Structure formats: C-alpha cells, structure tokens
Amino acid sequence: MASNLTRREFLKDLGLLGAGITLAPAAVSGANIFDWDTEKTPVLNRPSWVNTSNVPTMEIDWDKMERWREWRTTRGSFAEYVGKERDERLTKLQTENLDRWVKQNKPGYTLKDRALSAACGQGSGAQSFLPPKDATTPGQLGVAPWTGSPEDAAVMVTAALRHLGAGTVGFVELDPRTTEKLVYAEDPDKKVISFEDVAQPSEDDKKRVIPKKARWVIVYTVPMSQETMKAAPTVLCQLTTQLTYTLNRSIQLRLQYFLAGIGYLGLGEASTNALGISPAFGTMAGLGEMSRLNRLITPEWGPITRVFKMITDLPLAPTKPINAGIMQFCKVCKKCAEFCPSKALSFDTEPTWQPRGPWNNAGHKAFYEDSTKCRAYWRQVGTNCGLCFTACPFGTKNQAFFHAFRNALVSATPVFDSALRAVDDWINPGPANPELGDPFKDPEKWWKMTNLPIYGINTSTGLSEI
Amino acid sequence: MWWLILGIAIGVIGWWLVAWTRAKKIAVKWYEWLLAVIAVGFALLALQNYYAFLREMEPHAANVMLTLLGVPALVFAAIAIGLAWWQNNKAAKKPAKS
C-alpha cells in the first residue's frame, strides 16, 4: 500500500509514528497532564495547580480574634439561641419524622440505613486529650528520644499518619499573637484549655493544661466517601461522617502512641470537635481554603473530608497556606447556598467581617452562616444533612479529565468561574423539587454498589505518580 | 494499559492514513490534517471523560460530557474529510492542461 513512498518519506513517517505512539497515551490520559508538584510542598505532594502562599485566602484580623469557646457554637448552645420551646418542638419533630420514614421505608431512612449508621459509630479507640500511659517510651528501650530536623520530623509524621489512615497532613507552629488563638479557650465540655509553664500535660474536672513547650499542631484530613455523601441529607449520608469520626478516634490514639514511642507528647481532641478550630487550622496548615460553607474546601476531596489536629512538642516544619482559587470561585458559584434547604448559607458576593450571630467567632473575613437555621434542619431530618457538601462542584472523585481542567482553570483565573459553575449544573444537577429529607442521589442505588472502594474512599488521591 | 493500546492504535492508524493518501495520490492540505488531529483530540477527551464519569458512578455527567466533547469531534472530523473530498473532487474535474 505504501510502496510508492521514498525512503526519506518512509523514515519521516516512521518518526511521526514513534512520536504518535509516545504522545498519544499521554494525551488520552488527561489527568496526568496536570502532574504533581514535589517542590512547593516537600511534606506531601499536592497537585501543581495548588499554589502556596504566606497568607491564607481568607483575611484574618489577629488583633480582633480571641480564643473561642467551642460550646458557644450551635452544637452546645442551640437551645439558648432558638429558645427552649422551639428546641423541644424540633426534638419532637425529629423523632416523629425518623419514626415515620423508617416505617414508610423512605429511601435513605430505612431499617438497613439506620442499622449501618449505628454500626459505623462502633469499634473506635478511646479518645483522650492526654497521651496513653502504657506506651513503650524510648527510655524503656534504653535509647534517647528521636532527634532530627523539623523537616525530617514533618516527613516522618506525614508518612506515619498516611499509614494510619490520614489523607493530607500539614503543620502549624503556635504563636500566642496569632495561631495559638485557634486553640479553644474552652472545650465542648466547657473545660478550660490552658497553656502553662509545666513539663507535663494534665487534666482535671475543670481544666486541660498544655505545656508551653508543645508549640506545634499536626493537622490532618480523614476523607469521607463522596458517593455516600451524595445520599444527603439522609441517614445513609450521615454514616460516612460517623465512620470518619470513628476512624479518627483510632488514628488519634495510634498517633499518640507513635509520638510517645519516639519520646514526644501527643495531645489529642478529648471529644469530637475539641481542642481547636479545625477549618482554621486546616487553612493555616494549607490543607485547603475557607469557603462559602464557612468550612474548609480541600483540593483533593473538596469539602468531603474531616479535619483533625493534635498538639505536640516534637518540632515540626510548618506548612504554608494555599491558594488554589477556591475561595475566589466560591464568590461566584453560590451553589451550596442555593441547595441549602434552610437557606443558612450566605448569598453575599464578598465575605464580611461581621458574624451572623453569637455562634460565629469574629476576627476573620468569612461567609458567616446562620447556624441556627442549619441546625434546625438537621433536627427536622434527624441527620447532619450534608447537602451543601454534596452540591459543591469540588466534591468530586477527580477521575475525569474535566475535574483537572476545571481545577487548573479555577487556580489560574477567575474569568471562567461562572462558566464552570454552569457546566457543573449540567453534570451535577441534583433533584429538581425535593421534599423534606429527599436525597440528592437515590440511596437504594448505593445499596447495589458492591464495588465502592474500601470505606468508600479513593485512598490513592493525594499520591504522586510513581 | 487500555490507553497505551489506544495510543498505539491511533499511531498505527495515523501512519496508515498518511501512507494511504499518498498511495492513492489524495492531496490533503496541512490544515485538513490539523482539523483531523483536533477531531481526534476531542474524541479522546470525550472517551476519557465518558468512562471516567462512569467510574465515578455519574452516568448523567458521563452522557453530558460525551455530548459536549463528542459533537465537536464529529464536526471537526466531518469538516476535515469533507474539505479533503471536495478539493480532490474539484481537482479531478478540472481539465488537464495541454
């Protein structure tokens, strides 16, 4: 067929064929075009479109910020904010709705959903502020505590945490004028958290004491299942949150054992959401950016992840905040606010310094939410909702090339943010006219997915290509 | 692995196409090759996004992306083939100079 080709033409075509064979796989495997950057973040490789910065994309006025009392959120003070009568009415409504829906076999609220949700809360390790007393210390082995540079320590802790089940890991150094203000003044159980000039941490009925030598915070994410989250706001959706908290109790305990084993303190969260403000620490550690959700959105899993922290006296090289264009995109997108059934999220185009209520802590320029509306909806459906997380365009599984293209574009320029939001509406439209408690995606289809990854999480996310 | 096989297949088909047009003395302009390459690019993007969204368990998104990227692929391919056919047809009808 090609017998009339000259030798020169043949060799030229052979070269073209070689180039084609070499380049075509790279071209079709589009996700690899935006490869991982190993230089900007030595601890954990992040996508190349994630830029590090000396300041976060959310403005902070450290002078106005004060250490927060966790129990002032609606988790601890809902009844005070809405009144006892309304609180009791919502409790009654929650019981009635959950009871009716389980009997009606409403998708996402059925017996099997309830059973699996309850199961996900079981089997966790003990959760404690203080390190375990029975850990084998270096002294017991007749050796000195581990020593190394803060950079080496950061790499070591990251490797250990990845193996224990964490997604991404970052580090914050505590400074009394700034980042120390992100540690709670009072924990959810109203115990005071105090920094004192002592050698060892302690805890009694009223106080948890952090030695001043413990200056570093290990901040890490534990991803949730995006597919399970898509069943929001049902009981089925809630179980991925529940499972992540359960998993973290084991991760925290094991991290405390590891730190004790190398001769250092690991001061954990005494209970769920204790010790410090997770989204704030996540922002300062560069695990993600603050968003319209007034929560963290990560480059790897969007908002569909939980953030945890541990204070230690092991010197660790801090990681920088990031700018991946996420906060800027949130200004235009507003999809979470539109999908929020209680209209608790801000529709403002710009963040503000003014909190929406006493449940917000001041001192940062944010899209403050009306937590009482949010929490009231939780009570109506009997779950922790999650529709805003589900609607977020960044809460995707990131296998399709489109996600890499969108993320790179969002990071590079805000010009296409509106168009990208429009495309997201086409590919992730959600239910048209949902009634109270109706899911974003059909939970009954979830129960037929026998090939979801373990824990519903793609654990290879965040890894560099080998 | 599938992408490697697809890449090799595209390379072989591309080489064969070049050789075939030359053997048949079909004149193909540079911009017609460019249009064909763009069509192949869109087709590959359509395929990658379609199957990846199916793996993400998002069949609706898969169909949307197949349409959004597949239609341009077909349009570019049709223009490239149509242009080449039209020009060669025109050349064939032109009376040879004496």
Side-chain angles (χ1 to χ4, degrees), chain B residues 3-95:
Chain B
W3 291 117
L4 178 69
I5 293 168
L6 187 59
I8 292 170
I10 289 168
V12 170
I13 291 168
W15 176 74
W16 174 81
L17 200 62
V18 172
W20 182 77
T21 52
R22 284 180 181 174
K24 294 283 179 186
K25 295 194 169 29
I26 298 169
V28 184
K29 304 276 191 211
W30 67 269
Y31 53 83
E32 289 157 358
W33 285 118
L34 182 66
L35 287 168
V37 168
I38 293 170
V40 170
F42 269 107
L44 291 174
L45 281 173
L47 269 180
Q48 199 281 337
N49 280 281
Y50 179 73
Y51 285 109
F53 269 116
L54 285 183
R55 276 204 310 279
E56 291 185 16
M57 281 161 255
E58 300 290 351
H60 173 77
N63 290 332
V64 169
M65 293 312 278
L66 189 65
T67 310
L68 278 178
L69 297 163
V71 169
L74 291 174
V75 168
F76 278 111
I79 294 171
I81 294 167
L83 270 177
W85 178 83
W86 178 71
Q87 281 181 358
N88 280 280
N89 213 26
K90 197 172 71 173
K93 281 180 184 168
K94 212 173 181 179

Side-chain angles (χ1 to χ4, degrees), chain A residues 393-413:
Chain A
F394 293 108
T396 47
K397 299 185 192 89
N398 296 338
Q399 303 223 356
F401 173 80
F402 171 74
H403 304 308
F405 175 72
R406 175 204 60 209
N407 292 342
L409 215 53
V410 164
S411 178
T413 172

Side-chain angles (χ1 to χ4, degrees), chain A residues 417-430:
Chain A
D417 287 354
S418 300
L420 290 170
R421 157 71 207 265
V423 174
D424 193 78
D425 284 344
W426 293 341
I427 62 176
N428 188 31

Side-chain angles (χ1 to χ4, degrees), chain A residues 66-246:
Chain A
E66 290 176 3
R67 286 178 62 200
W68 180 245
R69 290 171 293 168
E70 201 281 342
W71 56 271
R72 294 301 294 162
T73 65
T74 49
R75 269 187 295 273
S77 301
F78 181 71
E80 181 194 322
Y81 297 141
V82 300
K84 200 178 168 205
E85 193 187 328
R86 187 163 179 229
D87 181 44
E88 283 170 359
R89 206 167 61 240
L90 283 166
T91 304
K92 190 165 170 275
L93 193 59
Q94 174 176 317
T95 310
E96 284 170 3
N97 284 341
L98 285 176
D99 189 50
R100 189 172 73 251
W101 290 339
V102 73
K103 284 171 183 155
Q104 285 175 346
N105 234 14
K106 184 179 170 81
Y109 301 86
T110 67
L111 183 65
K112 59 181 185 285
D113 300 303
R114 295 276 291 267
L116 190 60
S117 178
C120 284
Q122 302 302 314
S124 62
Q127 190 166 14
S128 169
F129 164 72
L130 292 174
K133 287 177 180 158
D134 58 344
T136 306
T137 61
Q140 287 169 307
L141 296 175
V143 294
W146 180 88
T147 52
S149 69
E151 287 76 19
D152 288 344
V155 172
M156 175 181 68
V157 169
T158 302
L161 260 174
R162 282 283 304 185
H163 209 66
L164 295 178
T168 45
V169 185
F171 306 99
V172 175
E173 189 166 357
L174 292 178
D175 180 332
R177 293 162 302 167
T178 55
T179 48
E180 194 176 289
K181 294 181 178 181
L182 304 178
V183 175
Y184 290 133
E186 291 175 27
D187 254 342
D189 57 5
K190 297 191 178 179
K191 284 190 185 179
V192 171
I193 299 179
S194 169
F195 288 89
E196 294 180 14
D197 205 2
V198 292
Q200 291 301 320
S202 62
E203 179 176 356
D204 59 27
D205 291 344
K206 290 187 177 146
K207 197 162 72 168
R208 295 191 170 96
V209 177
I210 299 172
K212 280 187 177 173
K213 66 174 179 176
R215 306 303 311 152
W216 294 271
V217 185
I218 302 165
V219 194
Y220 58 97
T221 56
V222 179
M224 298 191 285
S225 164
Q226 290 108 332
E227 191 57 35
T228 315
M229 200 79 210
K230 291 273 179 188
T234 67
V235 171
L236 180 69
C237 159
Q238 179 179 256
L239 67 84
T240 188
T241 307
Q242 208 149 8
L243 183 62
T244 308
Y245 279 123
T246 307

